[in-house]
Amino acid sequence: MAESRMDQQQVYPLPQNYNAKRDQESATTMDSDELRRKKCMKYLAYFAAFVVFQTGIILLFSLTVMKIRTPKFRVRSSTFESFEVGTVADPSFNMRMNAELGVKNANFGNYKFQNSTIVFFYGDAAVGQAVVRKTKAGWRSTKKLDVEVDLSSNGLPSNSQLGNDINSGFLTLNGRSRLNGKVELMFIFKKKKSTNMDCSITIGLADKAVREIKCK
Ligand SMILES: *[C@@H]1O[C@H](CO)[C@@H](O)[C@H](O)[C@H]1NC(C)=O
């Protein structure tokens, strides 16, 4: 009986027919139970669709906006203010380097970091260091920091490879640092995040310029 009524509804969808049928339907309690059950099913279906939709939104949000990404800390470029290099027989170097560092923050929130230091190594020996002042990298942007560092071979052991490197015309230094800070997602959620720098800088001795910077 319910089926045949549904067929009628589809065949005659005119307003006056509809009103007439509505009266018929409310005439018996069985019909109104049926109607209530259908309504209930409809709301359940709406609710299920809403839950699925909401879950999708939350999932998408947590995979994009709310995801914490590790900021990238690297040496972007370097120039020299002074540049003195010894000979193969008497190897040494003394340079003042201006390095531009970059903190690339891909998060949807600021990255605030503490004071730190950047140390430059020749082989295993530290040959210079500079202070990295605390500041912040804005959301989805790169903060550029300039540091000035005096690099000197004075502390190197006498058996170092420096003579060979001067002979080859290239000197490779490693810049290492670590930033400790916090990512502030949407200005609300804070999460501690550290980032390491490990960059190798190849310097051409003939042209007294940086030839290549590679960061891990
Ligand atoms: C950070 O470094 C600057 C300059 O070196 C110093 O004045 C400041 O007190 C330091 N801040 C902290 C929290 O150590």
Side-chain angles (χ1 to χ4, degrees), residues 13 20 27 30 45 86 99 108-109 117 128 138-139 147 150-151 160 169 175 181 204 210:
M30 204 188 119
F108 286 85
T117 52
W139 65 348
V147 295
D150 288 316
L151 304 167
S160 81
V210 169

Side-chain angles (χ1 to χ4, degrees), residues 114-115 131-134:
Q114 299 303 308
N115 279 352
V131 171
V132 178
R133 292 285 290 271
K134 67 170 184 178

Side-chain angles (χ1 to χ4, degrees), residues 73-143:
F73 186 29
R74 46 188 56 192
V75 176
R76 289 167 55 87
S77 64
S78 290
T79 55
F80 295 96
E81 227 172 87
S82 64
F83 199 105
E84 287 164 29
V85 177
T87 61
V88 175
D90 184 17
S92 70
F93 62 80
N94 279 287
M95 313 165 181
R96 175 163 287 184
M97 182 169 77
N98 291 314
E100 187 186 76
L101 314 180
V103 182
K104 188 176 177 187
N105 176 26
N107 291 294
F108 286 85
N110 291 335
Y111 178 56
K112 284 186 184 167
F113 52 87
Q114 299 303 308
N115 279 352
S116 182
T117 52
I118 177 169
V119 181
F120 291 88
F121 293 86
Y122 175 75
D124 294 331
V127 292
Q129 69 173 56
V131 171
V132 178
R133 292 285 290 271
K134 67 170 184 178
T135 180
K136 67 178 179 188
W139 65 348
R140 300 192 67 74
S141 68
T142 300
K143 177 75 181 179

